[in-house]
Amino acid sequence: MPDQRGTAGLFSPVFGRGGGAIGDAEWVQALLDAEAGLARALERAGLAPAGAGKQVTAAARAADFDVAEFGTGLTGNPVPGLARALARRVGREAAPAVHRGATSQDILDTAMMLLARRSIDAVTDDLALAAAAAARLAVAHRRTIMIGRTLLQQAVPVTFGLVAAGWLTALDEARAGLAAARRRLAVQFGGAAGTLASLGADGPGVAALLAQELDLALPVLPWHTDRLRILDAGTAMARTTAVLGKIARDITLLAQNEVGEVREGDPAGAGARPAPEGGIRRGGSSAMPHKRNPVAAIAVLGCTRQVPGLLATLVASAEHEHQRAAGAWHAEWEPFTALLRLTGSAAAWGTELLSGLVVDAPRMAANLAATEGLPLAEHVTALLSGEMGGARAHDLVARASARAVGAGLPLRDVLLGVAELADALAAAGITPEQVEAALEPAGYLGATDVFIDAALAAHSAHFQTQITD
Amino acid sequence: MPDQRGTAGLFSPVFGRGGGAIGDAEWVQALLDAEAGLARALERAGLAPAGAGKQVTAAARAADFDVAEFGTGLTGNPVPGLARALARRVGREAAPAVHRGATSQDILDTAMMLLARRSIDAVTDDLALAAAAAARLAVAHRRTIMIGRTLLQQAVPVTFGLVAAGWLTALDEARAGLAAARRRLAVQFGGAAGTLASLGADGPGVAALLAQELDLALPVLPWHTDRLRILDAGTAMARTTAVLGKIARDITLLAQNEVGEVREGDPAGAGARPAPEGGIRRGGSSAMPHKRNPVAAIAVLGCTRQVPGLLATLVASAEHEHQRAAGAWHAEWEPFTALLRLTGSAAAWGTELLSGLVVDAPRMAANLAATEGLPLAEHVTALLSGEMGGARAHDLVARASARAVGAGLPLRDVLLGVAELADALAAAGITPEQVEAALEPAGYLGATDVFIDAALAAHSAHFQTQITD
Amino acid sequence: MPDQRGTAGLFSPVFGRGGGAIGDAEWVQALLDAEAGLARALERAGLAPAGAGKQVTAAARAADFDVAEFGTGLTGNPVPGLARALARRVGREAAPAVHRGATSQDILDTAMMLLARRSIDAVTDDLALAAAAAARLAVAHRRTIMIGRTLLQQAVPVTFGLVAAGWLTALDEARAGLAAARRRLAVQFGGAAGTLASLGADGPGVAALLAQELDLALPVLPWHTDRLRILDAGTAMARTTAVLGKIARDITLLAQNEVGEVREGDPAGAGARPAPEGGIRRGGSSAMPHKRNPVAAIAVLGCTRQVPGLLATLVASAEHEHQRAAGAWHAEWEPFTALLRLTGSAAAWGTELLSGLVVDAPRMAANLAATEGLPLAEHVTALLSGEMGGARAHDLVARASARAVGAGLPLRDVLLGVAELADALAAAGITPEQVEAALEPAGYLGATDVFIDAALAAHSAHFQTQITD
Amino acid sequence: MPDQRGTAGLFSPVFGRGGGAIGDAEWVQALLDAEAGLARALERAGLAPAGAGKQVTAAARAADFDVAEFGTGLTGNPVPGLARALARRVGREAAPAVHRGATSQDILDTAMMLLARRSIDAVTDDLALAAAAAARLAVAHRRTIMIGRTLLQQAVPVTFGLVAAGWLTALDEARAGLAAARRRLAVQFGGAAGTLASLGADGPGVAALLAQELDLALPVLPWHTDRLRILDAGTAMARTTAVLGKIARDITLLAQNEVGEVREGDPAGAGARPAPEGGIRRGGSSAMPHKRNPVAAIAVLGCTRQVPGLLATLVASAEHEHQRAAGAWHAEWEPFTALLRLTGSAAAWGTELLSGLVVDAPRMAANLAATEGLPLAEHVTALLSGEMGGARAHDLVARASARAVGAGLPLRDVLLGVAELADALAAAGITPEQVEAALEPAGYLGATDVFIDAALAAHSAHFQTQITD
């Protein structure tokens, strides 16, 4: 079949990268896998002739089907036509086993579960790589001091290792959510209105066998109009993009020329293809040689920002009427696919982004130095409070800080160089060395190390849990 | 080029029908049209050699390009690669005119405007057909009385003509919004950061010529990070689907077996293809011959319900940083395309739906009759109030109604058959004929005719405006 | 303090009912509880004088504060002003312990966790009641046969017990999600930029004590800009409203006059207050005595339909910059509160709705009878297939069904009354009794009983798990 | 009545500022205004006794009502109770005129139109001030050169005047949208099911008089279930916040310490109240004297980012069933109010933000100088192309730029100081003066002046249009 990506191929290098490559081929295969699993389950239940499962499975290859033959416009969903097309491709004996007992929604919903599992697995793999990269950064930059920024203003010192540790913990939480959502993926099998009536007393048994065949959970009862499983998979995706978007936003901000603390590395074979005739440099601009656009970070944001609206559509569509919804069900197919695709693509870009991130520690130090000690004013105040009382200490440092800002001088120079202030310090028994020490960013990092250790430990524990799960 | 629909081909019979068929081919053509328009504008401005415009235009055929050659993954958008590919396809002399003065966003945003115009035109045509069908229904069923329903409960009588008149006015309002949005579509041309610096003093002149060439409006200044034009086109689409969704919802409700007042007609060549080997009947089920699913109405809802989330994404993405956004711009491409596609498809389905709608007037009458006069209680009260005062009238009718509900009798029978009540009526000088008249639904339609006339008149005026505009 | 509900009081009977009553009073109390917990933790850590925790806790009563004194417009959040106001209310010795080491976001985020816990608990209680009601309905109506409906069209028979069992399982799944989200609620405590630097080496210890004091989880590290906990609480709410919205939609549809299979019962003291001067009947209309609007179901839908957009806002807001977001954090406060409020209200209405639901079994039977056997055509075909082969059986039944629909006759009458068909049946050795049996809806319920049992068993297990958890 | 703000009072200094102060008081007054207008219209139509209009109008003061007396929980909307409460407050003669002919939705929808008008007017006023401020900035900084930034990377020079001109045009476009939406605001009057049956033939006349009384447009027919007017008002709000959000985002980025090109000014009485006991400085932090948080810009973003989800809710809610929606109508009330409130607040903050913006031109110059000529490489290439051909020119400049980046030297120094390059320039007849000129940012501003003039001219024209409209 002609491969028609869920995203236009035009934009798929951005929005359908890596595990995000989901289109017609994957969808049709998932539908066929569901039908094939049913045929095998029926055979095992004695409701289809021996060999029928094998025959149907062999015929269920997406490459042999053309979506145009499904007549989807007549029934509003592709399953009736696909089931007929599949039946035509198997022998006369096995044909009646195709789709037996099922309704279109059984096959389509089950296919969505299979697609979700495929995406969850791909995203989980990418998040593991991304988390490993974040863990390496946390270790390597445990003591790389930089200015922390709140409300986009410089605040107090942190280390880049702590920033990376925060990313790491969030990535691990996203991964844990994917694992939980994966366990919830369940087969759908209820027949025309959720009673499996056409299979008589055999329905539940076939459902259980189908769950085995497809390695999906068996639900309490058919979930045709209980859409929590769709929401759970979608939510796990949205949690993932929430984390990736935060990281990508941080990197675009840190990579601003005026900040310059990080930049994207060369993708080093990480999926980037050379342009047909060269000339197009990754993130480059032929006219402006200084330009190094953070392409991966921007691509992550291009993906992640589409997610809130798509998840909202799934939540809004959860109001399914009676035994099968008139419209709400149909409205799920595209946004669900898009969520899987965009999350897969964001994870691929994000992994590349973190794996190759170049950190400019000297620039971090320079940016921190340029704050001229002001972020440490709080620390100096604490030092003085012990000797001169909180109120007087606060007052003295506030005056010194205002003067430093006004004169464009380092806080140190004002504290030690302005006679009035220096005298007050001396009178309180504070030595210049103590002041200098209090102004040292490395001495005002609080629990930074503890938090980095905690993030690394949780990551190790998480990894252990995952591999022994 | 291989045609890769914006929607997976698998679902395109549902979500990419009619004017909603927008995919890579349309996108690439729009990008090329923008580049070709620029080459012509440059030539007219004396900034490209004679004939360059023609040469570039001749080469700008989407079918000759392959999206894989654009190297989109390197730059994060397809334009740099497309411009190079286009330059390779024109002669040595014209090549420098390709993309001259432009930045990627100039071409991509302008292409979005061209795609929006294409969609607006297709949707406008479909809405005109849909409105015509609604107008015919309003005229034909001006006196087809049915029960009005509020909060999904039977209320007071209306006519189906009034229902159709309401649909008509809404369709016309949606069409007017599309026309307004079309007038706002403007060329994008600002160069690297919105100054057109590389064209020196010639920039504004080229922009004006480009607007002429593409028949788009010339904006006050480049709108790279002022996204109201994107929102306006998106909003016009969302208004349209809001109207179509309401109509489709009404029809699914009226088509319920227990209501049965309308049903979808045979699509009569309206886009439906016969299934490959027959067997699949439109809206049918092989197992249940009584089943006639309202496929078109459901498809409309499947489209329209995806729209709120997509529009929200565009609104959220309007926060573009500085002179070009890092992510917010990229996040627009897919939802904007999806909005055009889904609205185009909903309009195609909606037109088919309204054009073929089958109205069951006897069933409407029967459903109304089954209310046994209760919806007219308010009318009877009004009749009596004149003779016996409001309070007594209200009391009498309330007692009668409660009794009718309790006994499952028509209100008429209670009013005229229960001695106590009949005596009270007689005492007040109310004749049985007057009671019967007050219970006649056709006598309690208020301004129904006036409103239908107003809707038809507004429609005629709108149509006149449009064709002389 | 003047009680200012998060929702305008005007609409709070609809959108702020029961556990959804969250406004300023609850918010201020949660903020104060966070500050008081911190004071106690500091005292336990030896960083505040003995008795400070008690003093601060005693002063932390929302009723004693006025939001106008917080100067929120100056700092963009109410915490700095609230902390000062609190410090003014405690003794000179304890005052320095107020807010020590904390940043505004520590207090505000922790308050959000406390509010979420409060709402989760209220919603969980309501869902338990709603689930119990659904379980009773599943048991009571296990054999109450009704027509199943797909795509808003009649399909095959189900029982109302199965419908209720589906609701039950979904309600239990929603409750399980709330429990999982509750376990994720964690204290926020990181100081100015997430290092707790102002507490030196004592930060992590204070954080652990604070978690104990407030009975919240201790996170791996501060989550100032990792918003998954906000999303998890929001998602648990959205899952709940998804389930409640489906149930309410079903009930509004089943309560349509033309269907009439259920209606809302009298709220029996379930929160409804009599109108001041009587006259206003629940769900009533003074003019139309037949009208009985499903007020509770409509209120549920009025709440649930606001949720997708609010959740989308939280997801979009998860992109927090650096160590504290400039805007994205602020954008969470109102939608998070609204999500809690609307879910609480929907749960209160939903519980009332299910607890009082009146089921009209005779009407269900009548509606099913009105289908005149057509939903059983599939069953008859299965019967005949054994005797006359699938193809002939299908052909015979299809002809019979078409004839039944055309003539408006029951399928039975056609099968047994039309000579040609009756002869064919007789020739195949099928007795009229067999045909009658195949047309009996009670014989075509498949796994209905099994599924009801499974839902009830899962519910019992769930309940057991919860109470022994 | 106790004033209960739509937003919790706790956060109203952020989200309910200025024109955004909308709560119960405003809602109840709007509902009463609609009822009073109806009474006057009825009197003018001869359907209410002389003086009834005046009496009802006099009684219709929100301050005299208590929302608790409306019994809203019984009927699901406050109008029945409010109408009864109003009737009790007028004389016996006028009472029957209260609410005559109307249904609850007539009053509530009309009130929404009145609230929308109030908000549109307030926002329009604020936008006019904001636009005036932007125009002043465009004029004052027409030649204040700064580096343009694309994808958060430095690109080519622009002027701050051009940035302000872009803001100006967008603000004017937002204002134009508000004016268009205002013209669409229409009275709602259709009675129980849109036929005005209870008024007999008088309905349309009363509707026209009601439109006159309230100075709202008269619609073609009642729009109970055609929600485009709601969407149009909501969209005009969302367009406004889209523009304000872009400006606020730019300012937060330009105000980063590392960029430092703008900062928020002192609000100069623009709504900021001093904190109760001083101490809380606007945007300040007691611990960090260097901190100057951009409170207004952040508040704008805190408002604007809630808008996409709210608009999506309105769009999703447009699917109203039959003659009155069961839930979709109710779901509009809160998000519509929130949209008005948040837009009003964002406009108030935005006006303050732009009016007081402090521009640091020397810092802009310094940041531009720090780019060391690289943004002008494109310009130098253009200069050389004329003399030495495009290919050679490009090659030479590319080599020079790479060398400049590598060595950390200004491009000028490399071009003129490296023998190989200087020789090539000399050979081509390019003088050092020409190179210096090409590297002058002021010489590479293209159409900047033209665009600023165009924006100012359009603004003047817009202003003229508005005042003569």
Side-chain angles (χ1 to χ4, degrees), chain C residues 82-109:
Chain C
L82 173 135
R84 282 167 181 261
L86 177 58
R88 283 195 300 273
R89 279 163 177 80
V90 300
R92 179 175 296 244
E93 283 202 356
V98 173
H99 200 64
R100 183 170 173 200
T103 191
S104 296
Q105 190 172 2
D106 291 334
I107 301 305
L108 207 147
D109 282 359

Side-chain angles (χ1 to χ4, degrees), chain B residues 376-463:
Chain B
L376 280 304
E378 185 187 41
H379 199 200
V380 174
T381 305
L383 164 73
L384 303 189
S385 292
E387 309 294 331
M388 62 205 305
R392 283 189 53 219
H394 187 277
D395 181 56
L396 185 146
V397 177
R399 273 186 293 135
S401 297
R403 194 148 177 176
V405 170
L409 289 173
L411 180 57
R412 178 203 166 281
D413 293 3
V414 173
L415 282 170
L416 300 182
V418 174
E420 173 212 2
L421 297 168
D423 292 352
L425 291 174
I430 311 282
T431 66
E433 289 70 28
Q434 283 177 295
V435 172
E436 305 256 12
L439 284 166
E440 176 52 49
Y444 199 61
L445 291 172
T448 294
D449 256 348
V450 175
F451 288 150
I452 293 172
D453 285 338
L456 292 169
H459 176 63
S460 298
H462 179 78
F463 186 69

Side-chain angles (χ1 to χ4, degrees), chain A residues 254-309:
Chain A
L254 293 172
Q256 291 172 102
N257 302 84
E258 297 85 357
V259 179
E261 299 184 356
V262 306
R263 64 171 195 275
E264 292 194 6
D266 285 316
R273 290 172 307 169
E277 305 192 2
I280 300 183
R281 181 168 54 83
R282 164 72 173 260
S285 158
S286 57
M288 297 181 285
H290 64 302
K291 205 122 196 280
R292 189 178 193 105
N293 292 320
V295 172
I298 292 168
V300 169
L301 293 171
C303 293
T304 61
R305 292 193 173 172
Q306 298 184 51
V307 165

Side-chain angles (χ1 to χ4, degrees), chain D residues 225-379:
Chain D
T225 56
D226 165 11
R227 310 308 286 173
L228 292 184
R229 282 179 173 80
I230 298 294
L231 296 195
D232 289 342
T235 300
M237 295 290 148
R239 291 175 95 252
T240 300
T241 57
V243 170
L244 292 167
K246 185 269 186 290
I247 295 172
R249 174 83 311 191
D250 280 358
I251 290 173
T252 57
L253 290 171
L254 293 172
Q256 292 172 101
N257 302 82
E258 297 86 356
V259 178
E261 299 185 356
V262 306
R263 65 171 194 273
E264 290 195 8
D266 285 317
R273 292 173 306 172
E277 304 192 3
I280 300 184
R281 180 168 54 83
R282 162 74 171 259
S285 158
S286 57
M288 297 180 283
H290 64 301
K291 206 118 195 282
R292 192 181 190 101
N293 292 320
V295 172
I298 291 168
V300 169
L301 294 171
C303 293
T304 62
R305 291 193 172 172
Q306 298 185 51
V307 165
L310 295 167
L311 182 66
T313 302
L314 292 185
V315 176
S317 296
E319 192 190 301
H320 280 217
E321 304 102 349
H322 294 314
Q323 281 68 52
R324 173 145 42 264
W329 175 47
H330 307 70
E332 291 173 352
W333 309 338
E334 291 199 337
F336 190 79
T337 311
L339 267 175
L340 301 181
R341 178 171 53 75
L342 292 166
T343 306
S345 195
W349 282 109
T351 299
E352 186 180 322
L353 176 65
L354 281 170
S355 303
L357 196 70
V358 179
V359 179
D360 190 336
R363 185 72 184 264
M364 289 176 175
N367 286 340
L368 181 54
T371 63
E372 308 212 284
L374 291 166
L376 280 305
E378 185 186 42
H379 199 200

Side-chain angles (χ1 to χ4, degrees), chain C residues 6-11 15 24 69 73-75 88 249 273 276-277 280 283 298 301 306 321 330 334 341 349, chain D residues 6-10 15 24 69 73-75 88 249 273 276-277 280 283 298 306 321 330 333-334 341 349:
Chain C
T7 179
L10 178 63
F11 295 123
F15 303 122
D24 277 5
E69 69 177 312
L74 292 172
T75 48
R88 283 195 300 273
R249 174 83 312 190
R273 292 173 307 172
E277 305 194 4
I280 300 183
I298 291 169
L301 293 171
Q306 297 184 53
E321 304 102 349
H330 307 70
E334 291 198 338
R341 178 171 53 76
W349 282 109
Chain D
T7 179
L10 177 63
F15 304 123
D24 278 5
E69 70 178 310
L74 292 171
T75 49
R88 283 195 299 273
R249 174 83 311 191
R273 292 173 306 172
E277 304 192 3
I280 300 184
I298 291 168
Q306 298 185 51
E321 304 102 349
H330 307 70
W333 309 338
E334 291 199 337
R341 178 171 53 75
W349 282 109

Side-chain angles (χ1 to χ4, degrees), chain A residues 49 52 55 87-98:
Chain A
Q55 269 190 59
R88 282 195 300 273
R89 278 161 176 80
V90 300
R92 177 174 298 243
E93 284 202 353
V98 172

